[in-house]
Amino acid sequence: MQATAIAHSNIALAKYWGKRDVPGNVPATPSVSVTLSHLHTRTHVMFDPSLNEDSFRLNNSISTGEPLLRVTKLLNEVRQRANLQLCAQVTSENNFPTASGLASSASGFAALAMAACKASRLTLTTQELSRIARRASASAARSLFEGFVSLDTYDNPAAEMLAPASHWPSLSLVVAAVTLAPKVETSTHAMVHTRETSPYYSSWKDDAVSVAQDVRTAILNRDIQQLGEAAECSALRMHACAMSAAPGILYWSAKTLELIHCVYSLRRAGIGAWFTMDAGPHVKIICEQKDTHTIAELVRVHCAYVQIANPGPAAYIT
Ligand code: DP6
């Protein structure tokens, strides 16, 4: 009873920030993401009668505490569906920096949901796997799918593919990580705190619907300028809302601002480049494939890690 799955990371172009239902982990805002080539998590799950408890090894070191609890919670759902009592050994590796705000929980929980269901011999649709992954981490619901993916706010949502990777293969993301240190505040906690304390939260939530619609339209029309402008708008409004919590949550570092200004200078020089940021200080630059090397070389001096990615594949069993 064992299986290995690979899931790729994703970056939200329209952000999820806030929960409509905390226990069910239902987003309060619709999100639209691109699944990334090159950045993935590989997870092996083995249910084993000789084990007395679940274990979780991430990048060759044993994980306990909150990360193990989140893994066990997902495994419990799978065990319940499969009518299985066995504990599991979970081994996971990311091929990119972990826990620093580069969406490792998205690819991690997507790979875990797929590998655990396969190992327990459950046959589920990708939608059902996406719901299991969403309950662990909402952004993970999107990593089950290839290309461009939406996640809505209705009850118990699954993510849906908006367009396959082949729809716009020349769209690129330059992932510019400014540090390899762990992020200061988890997104799970930070978005609940934002909802509870920011006077701007309801405006953020209401406005996010039309920004997500602009992102969807831009993707379907392959309009990089509209996509870049809408994605920047979503990121800045999400961060503005987090900053307006009490106490405020500020993920940016001085290097984040340097990179934002690099993007502005690229645009002044006539290169189509737009930024987005998640729950960390890193900047992801949206651009056309032909400009990736120019952009990567420009930002490299500010960064601990740079990776160029394109729309990537769905999660799969190896
Ligand atoms: C800023 O999916 O990590 O990356 O559901 O609590 O696990 P939980 O949160 P998570 O939040 C991701 C927030 C974001 C935006 C996004 O990916 O949509």
Side-chain angles (χ1 to χ4, degrees):
M1 299 193 80
Q2 54 181 311
T4 302
I6 290 185
H8 284 247
S9 179
N10 74 76
I11 299 283
L13 300 165
K15 304 294 182 192
Y16 145 56
W17 193 257
K19 296 173 195 287
R20 191 163 75 72
D21 163 16
V22 175
N25 208 30
V26 178
T29 62
S31 56
V32 184
S33 61
V34 55
T35 300
L36 301 178
S37 65
H38 292 92
L39 288 88
H40 68 247
T41 302
R42 172 191 291 265
T43 298
H44 179 252
V45 175
M46 181 170 63
F47 289 101
D48 181 348
S50 72
L51 296 174
N52 299 322
E53 55 187 14
D54 295 326
S55 69
F56 176 37
R57 189 173 260 278
L58 176 59
N59 294 333
N60 272 326
S61 48
I62 292 172
S63 263
T64 53
E66 186 60 29
L68 175 61
L69 281 175
R70 287 179 83 175
V71 166
T72 290
K73 192 172 162 230
L74 189 153
L75 292 173
N76 285 344
E77 182 172 348
V78 172
R79 280 188 281 251
Q80 198 185 2
R81 281 173 179 248
N83 202 11
L84 189 73
Q85 263 85 47
L86 303 179
C87 291
Q89 189 183 74
V90 176
T91 315
S92 209
E93 281 122 45
N94 295 328
N95 74 342
F96 60 95
T98 300
S100 60
L102 280 183
S104 59
S105 72
S107 50
F109 286 111
L112 177 63
M114 187 170 252
C117 288
K118 181 75 179 174
S120 65
R121 301 186 186 136
L122 277 175
T123 319
L124 298 181
T125 61
T126 314
Q127 274 74 15
E128 273 306 296
L129 290 177
S130 174
R131 289 193 180 95
I132 293 174
R134 190 207 75 240
R135 285 190 275 273
S137 184
S139 55
R142 302 184 308 237
S143 269
L144 268 311
F145 296 89
E146 67 164 303
F148 302 89
V149 185
S150 345
L151 177 63
D152 225 307
T153 58
Y154 52 80
D155 287 346
N156 194 20
E160 286 163 50
M161 188 185 73
L162 178 67
S166 59
H167 168 72
W168 198 355
S170 66
L171 183 77
S172 297
L173 270 289
V174 177
V175 177
V178 300
T179 167
L180 300 184
K183 58 183 170 186
V184 289
E185 180 76 85
T186 66
S187 30
T188 306
H189 173 253
M191 65 175 80
V192 171
H193 173 68
T194 306
R195 188 191 63 182
E196 285 168 354
T197 64
S198 166
Y200 303 160
Y201 179 75
S202 65
S203 308
W204 148 255
K205 190 168 62 74
D206 296 345
D207 172 76
V209 175
S210 67
V211 178
Q213 191 47 46
D214 289 348
V215 166
R216 276 191 216 101
T217 307
I219 290 169
L220 293 175
N221 294 333
R222 294 188 202 90
D223 181 337
I224 193 161
Q225 169 137 7
Q226 187 190 14
L227 178 64
E229 287 173 2
E232 262 190 29
C233 179
S234 175
L236 287 173
R237 288 180 187 172
M238 178 204 113
H239 282 270
C241 190
M243 283 177 209
S244 69
I249 299 158
L250 177 58
Y251 283 111
W252 301 358
S253 70
K255 287 189 175 170
T256 313
L257 282 172
E258 279 172 27
L259 287 172
I260 289 174
H261 284 283
C262 272
V263 171
Y264 289 150
S265 66
L266 283 162
R267 285 219 288 272
R268 280 196 298 274
I271 294 177
W274 292 267
F275 59 81
T276 182
M277 292 93 53
D278 293 296
H282 317 302
V283 177
K284 292 102 184 193
I285 302 169
I286 302 155
C287 60
E288 287 282 0
Q289 174 100 48
K290 64 180 173 47
D291 295 320
T292 50
H293 289 287
T294 311
I295 296 172
E297 284 323 303
L298 184 76
V299 300
R300 207 175 290 279
V301 296
H302 302 288
C303 293
Y305 166 89
V306 176
Q307 175 68 57
I308 296 168
N310 296 99
Y316 57 99
I317 295 288
T318 65

